[in-house]
Amino acid sequence: MFWTSYFLAVLALVLAWPVPVLLSRAEWPSRAPFMAMVLWQAIALAGGLSMIGAMLVYGLEPIGDNLIAGVRSLAGMVLHNEPTTALGFWHLFALSAAALLSAHLVFTLLLTYVKIERQRRRHRELLALLASPSDDGPGTVVINHDSPVAYCLPGGARSVTVLSDGLMAALEPAELRAVLIHENAHLSQRHDLLLWAFAAWRQALPWFPTTRLAQVAVNSLIEMLADDVALRTESKGTLIKAIAIVASGSAGPVEQFAPPGTSGQDASPEGSSLSGTGGADSPRTTASRVSRLLSPKPPLPAAQRTLVLAASAMLLAVPTGLLIVPGLLG
């Protein structure tokens, strides 16, 4: 149990700092954004599991040979009101820390969801008053605003794509189609769920620089995924021009039109709007998207994609196996 807790603690530290930093600086994710997204999710899940698991295993070490046996012994102590003298101060501290961290992560995840849903509901109410249906397709509305604005508001059957008068006047028909396809890709691929999870992770652990790196990376990756969908039917030149025109509206005061909880690049819980092909797209993300389109690199070879997928699976399997398998075998 001691060596298991030690290994999990080391794994948690590695996944909390050097691995995310290296991944955020790597160039290959733009060649395989979906694989990179899978890897980021694996890092986040494995890091949290290792962190909590290390504290649990260490805390239960005196009363069990493995996690399952330790949990059973602890449950017996609690249910039968038995003394916990077998557990020292640091063991009790580790168990308390594990319980508090788990509760904090779950509570923050739920709280972030509630906040986003409340903001989306209020925004739909505003759109019902200020927007008018668009002729460009069902689920598309137009707001009266001179700046080029485009974003989508997820909500299942109530999902809408919002365009501004300024955007429609500035874009050619093919460019407008590219924007609509891009925003619809965010909705169909449910990028809002990814953004919610990583926004909650950053909100729960704001002192971890890697939570910011992960959120920024995920924001950029979902834009690349949506761009790739648009490129299936529209040319690179059309998409680049559309991105440039929409990005020109980012400097204006468009936050009232792209609130937290929209998708493209979703908003952080702090309130800054980072809406996909419109809203307040960050200059860094826009530059990386345009650079990727102007100087395309070949897709990541199948062997390397398989390696990334295997690494993601391994990240999840190792802490899970260390925590569960000894108890099952015992």
Side-chain angles (χ1 to χ4, degrees):
M1 288 278 278
F2 173 79
W3 290 109
T4 299
S5 64
Y6 178 80
F7 180 82
L8 288 173
V10 171
L11 181 61
L13 290 174
V14 170
L15 295 178
W17 179 246
V19 170
V21 170
L22 291 174
L23 182 56
S24 67
R25 296 174 179 175
E27 296 183 357
W28 69 263
S30 64
R31 300 169 59 193
F34 179 78
M35 290 292 102
M37 184 77 72
V38 171
L39 184 56
W40 273 112
Q41 293 177 76
I43 289 171
L45 290 172
L49 185 61
S50 298
M51 188 185 308
I52 295 171
M55 292 185 287
L56 277 177
V57 171
Y58 175 77
L60 295 171
E61 179 189 3
I63 57 175
D65 294 330
N66 53 69
L67 179 64
I68 295 177
V71 170
R72 287 174 179 171
S73 298
L74 182 63
M77 291 179 180
V78 173
L79 293 176
H80 299 96
N81 199 26
E82 298 176 356
T84 58
T85 52
L87 298 174
F89 170 80
W90 290 110
H91 298 103
L92 290 172
F93 178 83
L95 290 174
S96 300
L100 289 173
L101 180 58
S102 300
H104 176 61
L105 291 174
V106 173
F107 177 76
T108 305
L109 186 68
L110 296 176
L111 181 61
T112 304
Y113 176 80
V114 170
K115 287 181 178 180
I116 289 177
E117 283 300 308
R118 184 184 299 121
Q119 291 160 348
R120 288 175 181 169
R121 184 176 63 252
R122 292 175 180 173
H123 194 61
R124 288 191 188 95
E125 293 172 354
L126 288 174
L127 289 176
L129 297 173
L130 303 176
S132 57
S134 171
D135 296 331
D136 294 292
T140 304
V141 298
V142 180
I143 54 177
N144 183 15
H145 196 273
D146 293 335
S147 295
V149 177
Y151 62 93
C152 52
L153 189 64
R158 299 174 297 167
S159 299
V160 293
T161 298
V162 183
L163 309 173
S164 69
D165 288 335
L167 176 76
M168 300 182 71
L171 296 181
E172 298 293 334
E175 296 159 1
L176 182 58
R177 284 197 306 271
V179 170
L180 288 172
I181 294 171
H182 177 104
E183 297 301 334
N184 288 334
H186 287 312
L187 295 174
S188 62
Q189 296 181 8
R190 296 309 307 266
H191 292 161
D192 56 300
L193 298 180
L194 291 169
L195 295 170
W196 160 48
F198 280 92
W201 187 31
R202 181 177 180 183
Q203 183 76 356
L205 303 171
W207 56 86
F208 275 20
T210 50
T211 61
R212 179 187 60 82
L213 292 175
Q215 189 179 28
V216 171
V218 168
N219 287 341
S220 181
L221 289 170
I222 65 168
E223 294 304 316
M224 294 178 186
L225 288 171
D227 285 343
D228 288 344
V229 175
L231 286 175
R232 294 174 187 172
T233 55
E234 305 300 330
S235 68
K236 290 181 182 179
T238 297
L239 182 57
I240 291 172
K241 186 177 178 182
I243 292 172
I245 292 174
V246 173
S248 68
S250 301
V254 297
E255 286 79 6
Q256 67 269 35
F257 294 116
T262 59
S263 186
Q265 274 193 326
D266 209 338
S268 67
E270 291 81 357
S272 60
S273 176
L274 297 173
S275 176
T277 47
D281 198 4
S282 69
R284 179 179 177 180
T285 299
T286 300
S288 64
R289 292 169 63 194
V290 173
S291 176
R292 178 174 181 258
L293 294 170
L294 287 174
S295 303
K297 296 181 180 179
L300 206 63
Q304 295 183 30
R305 294 200 302 271
T306 302
L307 183 61
V308 172
L309 192 60
S312 302
M314 186 65 68
L315 283 176
L316 294 175
V318 168
T320 303
L322 287 174
L323 292 170
I324 296 178
V325 171
L328 296 177
L329 296 178

